[in-house]
Amino acid sequence: MDLLLAGVLALLAIAAATAIGPKLGVAAPLLLVVAGLLVSLLPAIPPIEIDPEWIIAGVLPPLLYSAAVSMPAMEFRRDFSTIGGLSVVLVVLSSVLLGFLFHWIIPGIDLAIGIALGAIVSPTDAVATSIVKRLGVSPRVVAMLEGESLLNDATALVLLRSAIAAAAASVSIWGVVGTFAYSVAVATVIGAVVGWVSLRVRARIQNPTVNTVISFTMPFLASIPAELLGASGLVAAVVAGLITGRGAAKYLTPRHRLSDVQNWRTVELVLEGAVFLLMGLELTALVDDLEQGGSGTWHAVGIAAIALVAVTLVRAAYVAPLIGALGRRARRGARVKERLQSLPTDTAAFALRAGREPDHARSARFRSMLRRRVADIDYFVDESLDWRDGTVIVWAGMRGVVTLVAAQTLPADTPNRSMLVFIAFLVAVASLLVQGSTLPMLVRWLIPARDPGAGAAERRELRELLRAAAMRELAESGDAHARMIAERMRAAWQVSNDEGAGETDATDEADAEAAGVGERGDGAAKRVGPEASAPRVDPEQVRRLRLRMIEAERDALLDARDEGRFSAAALSAALEDLDAEQISVELKGVDGA
């Protein structure tokens, strides 16, 4: 009963912190840490210790999987080399440099343990991404921060384990490199297989609730085999999430995806909140151990402050030349684009250039690849980064859950273990407190407001593309009713364009009226304007045609996504609109039945 009551109170605390935090201007994780600390001071509360392996194996895989599913795959692919550098090179560099610093300023620890502590405080947390998304930062910066927070956890944990092993025995640098390469390669294969198989299996399941339950097992089906083979379970969970996120729109129904999104958001909220709450509960015991060891709390606070400044400076030293390199890449891309646009794209010319007979399929693939390459270059030019964006990337490198959890994995016989764990805790909390509270002000000061007109123009262009796909579907049906509905929709769309109606709600209402489907709940047909004397339209036939049109629009949207012709935000918004409309049309069919 006591355990059940504690669980209920913890859930209420997480919900309250999430609801109250934004109103107070304080990150919810900080409120949970304070709440846990206050509870731990009560005499009736015994010391609490949680095996860190439970968190590494049971909490981090679903958290990273959920973040990977929502990661824009197109932006991840485009900036994969940059994300890889932030996730691997920067983590290794920070760990080694901080290792020398800790070895110098903390008495009694050798270099290997210093590097282990450096690996603990090096990875960034996804909390920063949730903050910058609301501040109008470039989508490219958001994607880079998201990708970094997904992959750097595995780098830090592999390096941490290698450093701990090196403290107990001799480990060569090539041994560490080989272990890391094996860990990532095997995990990538396992995660890709799990993601691919899960999509095919879940596509055959009609019940959204059952489908979501199966999705809850995916991060563990990827991470557990990887860990058993000595690979990184976190990388496997991330890869499975990326594969699932990219293929979900193609293989899963809108109801399945909507159910997934809502339930996984709840899982993220509970798991991440629970980790910060537990750290607050454990803080009192850490301070007691630190005082008994004679190291002194304020000494640890000073070291933590030095560590936070050092890790921020290392990050700035890495990001500054990175931004310069990305700028040069964009300028080279603009020159390459001119040469690409001069290439022949028609079937005969392409075949003649390649010395083969005309091949329409091969030519179509070439044109698609060419459009994607040009779209990539346009993305790098339009979303080019400067020192302002670099400053945001540096300051958004906050520490969080992984730092708190990784510190707990230090062996019990590690010299000054309580001090090392306390330092890691202070670095994580201080980064959330200082950087998290000042990041919105920094963004408002550095980043000019983005032009909303550009997004509206992109959405209109995408909507026209989807409309054209819907019209082609109606035209190819060969049905008299379909042709009549197509003419009505075309006329309604022309009227909405002439009147300047740019919002989805207005055009959707025009679609419904043009199709002959009224707003009355009985599903009766309604005819408007000069078509009032036209033959009556069967609502069920209209419903089936509209579902086919939605499917054609979704296929066109996925093709545009693969070619990179639109931003992830525009594509996501359009997909959500299609999903909502499909669910509405399907429910009308159920009600009518």
Side-chain angles (χ1 to χ4, degrees), residues 61 64-65 68 150-151 154 183-195 218-227 231-244:
L64 295 178
Y65 173 87
L150 284 177
L151 298 180
S183 178
V184 172
V186 173
T188 300
V189 173
I190 294 175
V193 171
V194 170
M218 290 301 105
F220 303 106
L221 291 178
S223 64
I224 292 175
E227 290 290 342
S232 172
L234 300 183
V235 171
V238 168
V239 173
L242 291 173
I243 297 295
T244 301

Side-chain angles (χ1 to χ4, degrees), residues 387-427:
W387 67 271
R388 300 177 184 85
D389 302 288
T391 303
V392 173
I393 292 173
V394 171
W395 201 243
M398 292 176 277
R399 275 62 193 165
V401 173
V402 176
T403 294
L404 301 180
V405 173
Q408 299 291 315
T409 64
L410 289 171
D413 58 351
T414 302
N416 295 321
R417 182 182 185 277
S418 296
M419 172 182 276
L420 302 183
V421 175
F422 188 61
I423 289 171
F425 174 86
L426 290 177
V427 169

Side-chain angles (χ1 to χ4, degrees), residues 50-61:
I50 302 295
D51 186 351
E53 289 299 329
W54 279 99
I55 299 179
I56 292 177
V59 174
L60 292 184

Side-chain angles (χ1 to χ4, degrees), residues 78-101:
R78 284 169 167 168
D79 275 314
F80 181 74
S81 60
T82 303
I83 293 171
L86 291 170
S87 304
V88 179
V89 178
L90 178 56
V91 170
V92 173
L93 185 64
S94 300
S95 301
V96 174
L97 293 179
L98 287 173
F100 281 101
L101 176 65

Side-chain angles (χ1 to χ4, degrees), residues 220-385:
F220 303 106
L221 291 178
S223 64
I224 292 175
E227 290 290 342
L228 292 176
L229 293 175
S232 172
L234 300 183
V235 171
V238 168
V239 173
L242 291 173
I243 297 295
T244 301
R246 181 168 179 79
K250 180 178 180 180
Y251 292 100
L252 304 183
T253 67
R255 293 190 200 184
H256 291 168
R257 283 183 275 115
L258 180 62
S259 176
D260 272 7
V261 169
Q262 296 301 324
N263 286 286
W264 273 110
R265 284 177 181 171
T266 303
V267 171
E268 285 183 13
L269 177 67
V270 172
L271 292 182
E272 193 167 69
V275 172
F276 285 100
L277 190 60
L278 285 173
M279 283 306 302
L281 290 170
E282 294 181 348
L283 182 58
T284 303
L286 283 176
V287 174
D288 291 341
D289 291 343
L290 197 61
E291 292 295 339
Q292 292 174 6
S295 299
T297 303
W298 290 109
H299 180 57
V301 170
I303 295 175
I306 295 173
L308 181 58
V309 172
V311 77
T312 304
L313 291 177
V314 172
R315 184 175 180 85
Y318 181 86
V319 170
L322 174 66
I323 295 298
L326 292 177
R328 292 190 295 272
R329 177 183 180 183
R331 290 190 291 272
R332 287 197 306 270
R335 294 191 295 268
V336 172
K337 178 181 176 180
E338 298 177 357
R339 295 196 295 269
L340 291 177
Q341 291 177 327
S342 66
L343 294 176
T345 57
D346 62 280
T347 304
F350 176 68
L352 181 63
R353 187 183 184 94
R356 293 189 296 265
E357 293 296 322
D359 186 333
H360 294 283
R362 186 185 297 272
S363 180
R365 288 194 299 270
F366 173 76
R367 288 195 296 270
S368 178
M369 181 185 68
L370 187 61
R371 285 195 296 268
R372 183 170 66 175
R373 177 58 178 152
V374 171
D376 288 349
I377 294 174
D378 289 338
Y379 171 79
F380 293 134
V381 173
D382 296 339
E383 296 289 343
S384 60
L385 306 180

